[in-house]
Amino acid sequence: MKRLIAFSILLVAFFSAQAQDTKLPPPVKTGGKPFMETVAARHSERAYVKREMPPQMLSSLLWTANGFNRDGKRTVATGWNKQEMSLYVVLDDGAYFYDAHAHKLKLVAKGDFKKALGQPEVTNNAALSIVMVADLNKSSIDNARIGTGGTSQSIYLFAASEGLGTVARGSFKGAELGKALKLNSKQAITLVQPVGFLK
Amino acid sequence: MKRLIAFSILLVAFFSAQAQDTKLPPPVKTGGKPFMETVAARHSERAYVKREMPPQMLSSLLWTANGFNRDGKRTVATGWNKQEMSLYVVLDDGAYFYDAHAHKLKLVAKGDFKKALGQPEVTNNAALSIVMVADLNKSSIDNARIGTGGTSQSIYLFAASEGLGTVARGSFKGAELGKALKLNSKQAITLVQPVGFLK
């Protein structure tokens, strides 16, 4: 009987988690500004107009930032292709893990975790914040920081191409944010980057 | 008399250095592949066909990698805009410093320094190698690594847009290369990235 209850709890937990995951549409791999115009337009923006990001745009953004664009390899390099970097997404209703293999958002926890991101004047009006997380079981923090910079630049360029605003932020509340994202002791947050709509 | 000789030596040194510096043409800030196609095409290439890079392409590459695209600010973010990252370029005939303000290549030393870059099978057929250097008087090595990743990704995307090949390389001969580039004790090489033509 105890086993049956335990199994039922597991089953309910599994399906309720599944129900809250969000399958992303495939990224759009065409279009955008010509590359050199994208570079010319690249800059930091901290003032956003609150709007939800459409799933198609979110899909292309996350794929650009750290998706797979060819056989088992990502849009951003990591040293010796260790792929130690993962992205988490903080939306108004919860924190999600970007599963780049399945190209979906997996719910980590429901709730408003924006406070842990710090700088509410920047964070609160963003459509979302991307949190870059290194798995130190896979590679060193030094390599992870280089991978982080690559993802950050890709987000900057995506924003420039799409007319969105973004800024790389180092001043987050690490312990609080790590707890919200349920990180383990070998996972380190390297950077936070909000993306938002401009006036 | 001694003063006159010293002054003459300075004068000669100044003009011979000037003569070897290379003013780059302005970068082309339009054109290239659409951004999303650029991301889709981004990948590493290690086999190149030896060819010299035309000055116009070199100019746009370096500007994309770490130039100024707006008032005093660069195409790649650094923490608190400390701009601790500099680029050096190793060509077959010498090592150069990319002066992003003047948008020119300043000769550091004549000679063939490709050996210090390591991996001759990758390096020797590249048109050039970009060496990323952090000034630790300006910022921390941790921040510099994130800036390094941004520059590396911009080079990857420029290569994808232009149909060139590139690969980020961590296995360079640090001491030898630092000597070739005449770096001081507060400058650290963070990454080397060759760029070359494909078959």
Side-chain angles (χ1 to χ4, degrees), chain A residues 129-183:
Chain A
S129 282
I130 294 174
V131 182
M132 302 173 210
V133 174
D135 182 345
L136 302 179
N137 282 317
K138 292 187 181 169
S139 190
S140 69
I141 188 71
D142 289 355
N143 286 334
R145 288 207 167 90
I146 293 178
T148 294
T151 284
S152 172
Q153 181 72 343
S154 282
I155 296 169
Y156 265 113
L157 291 168
F158 181 88
S161 175
E162 295 289 326
L164 299 165
T166 192
V167 62
R169 296 186 47 246
S171 60
F172 48 85
K173 296 173 185 176
E176 202 179 319
L177 189 53
K179 207 173 155 186
L181 301 180
K182 301 183 181 173
L183 302 184

Side-chain angles (χ1 to χ4, degrees), chain B residues 34-84:
Chain B
F35 179 67
M36 295 309 293
E37 287 179 35
T38 307
V39 174
R42 186 220 156 279
H43 69 289
S44 295
E45 287 280 356
R46 289 171 182 79
Y48 316 117
V49 177
K50 191 75 183 180
R51 257 174 69 194
E52 209 174 303
M53 188 174 287
Q56 182 62 75
M57 185 182 268
L58 178 58
S59 160
S60 297
L61 165 63
L62 293 172
W63 176 77
T64 297
N66 199 31
F68 289 96
N69 72 344
R70 59 207 193 285
D71 195 23
K73 294 188 176 175
R74 305 236 186 190
T75 51
V76 173
T78 49
W80 293 271
N81 194 29
K82 296 282 185 189
Q83 301 190 14
E84 70 274 12

Side-chain angles (χ1 to χ4, degrees), chain A residues 27-44 46 60-61 63-64 69-70 73-77 80 141-143 145-154 156-159 161-162 168 170-171 190-191, chain B residues 27-44 46 60-61 63-64 69-70 73-77 80 141-143 145-154 156-159 161-162 168 170-171 190-191:
Chain A
V28 175
K29 301 181 184 181
T30 56
K33 282 202 182 101
F35 179 67
M36 295 308 292
E37 287 180 34
T38 307
V39 174
R42 186 220 157 278
H43 69 288
S44 294
R46 289 171 183 81
S60 298
L61 166 63
W63 176 77
T64 297
N69 73 344
R70 59 208 193 283
K73 293 186 175 175
R74 306 237 185 188
T75 51
V76 173
W80 292 273
I141 188 71
D142 289 355
N143 286 334
R145 288 207 167 90
I146 293 178
T148 294
T151 284
S152 172
Q153 181 72 343
S154 282
Y156 265 113
L157 291 168
F158 181 88
S161 175
E162 295 289 326
S171 60
T190 51
L191 204 67
Chain B
V28 176
K29 301 182 184 179
T30 55
K33 282 202 182 101
F35 179 67
M36 295 309 293
E37 287 179 35
T38 307
V39 174
R42 186 220 156 279
H43 69 289
S44 295
R46 289 171 182 79
S60 297
L61 165 63
W63 176 77
T64 297
N69 72 344
R70 59 207 193 285
K73 294 188 176 175
R74 305 236 186 190
T75 51
V76 173
W80 293 271
I141 188 70
D142 288 354
N143 286 333
R145 289 207 166 91
I146 293 178
T148 295
T151 284
S152 172
Q153 180 72 342
S154 283
Y156 266 114
L157 292 168
F158 181 87
S161 175
E162 295 288 327
S171 59
T190 50
L191 204 67

Side-chain angles (χ1 to χ4, degrees), chain B residues 74 79 82-86 135-140 186:
Chain B
R74 305 236 186 190
K82 296 282 185 189
Q83 301 190 14
E84 70 274 12
M85 295 308 303
S86 290
D135 182 345
L136 302 180
N137 283 317
K138 292 186 181 171
S139 190
S140 69
K186 295 295 281 182

Side-chain angles (χ1 to χ4, degrees), chain A residues 23-156:
Chain A
K23 180 81 190 149
L24 294 164
V28 175
K29 301 181 184 181
T30 56
K33 282 202 182 101
F35 179 67
M36 295 308 292
E37 287 180 34
T38 307
V39 174
R42 186 220 157 278
H43 69 288
S44 294
E45 287 280 355
R46 289 171 183 81
Y48 316 118
V49 177
K50 192 75 183 180
R51 259 174 67 194
E52 207 175 304
M53 188 174 287
Q56 182 62 74
M57 185 182 269
L58 179 59
S59 160
S60 298
L61 166 63
L62 293 172
W63 176 77
T64 297
N66 199 31
F68 289 95
N69 73 344
R70 59 208 193 283
D71 195 22
K73 293 186 175 175
R74 306 237 185 188
T75 51
V76 173
T78 49
W80 292 273
N81 193 29
K82 294 284 187 188
Q83 302 190 12
E84 71 275 10
M85 296 307 303
S86 291
L87 304 186
Y88 288 72
V89 180
V90 175
L91 295 171
D92 283 345
D93 69 349
Y96 297 81
F97 169 76
Y98 171 49
D99 179 343
H101 290 279
H103 196 58
K104 67 180 178 183
L105 286 180
K106 294 174 96 164
L107 183 73
V108 174
K110 279 192 171 188
D112 184 354
F113 302 110
K114 292 200 295 296
K115 226 182 127 190
L117 299 166
Q119 280 194 296
E121 71 283 7
V122 178
T123 296
N124 287 354
N125 285 325
L128 56 94
S129 282
I130 294 174
V131 182
M132 302 173 210
V133 174
D135 182 345
L136 302 179
N137 282 317
K138 292 187 181 169
S139 190
S140 69
I141 188 71
D142 289 355
N143 286 334
R145 288 207 167 90
I146 293 178
T148 294
T151 284
S152 172
Q153 181 72 343
S154 282
I155 296 169
Y156 265 113

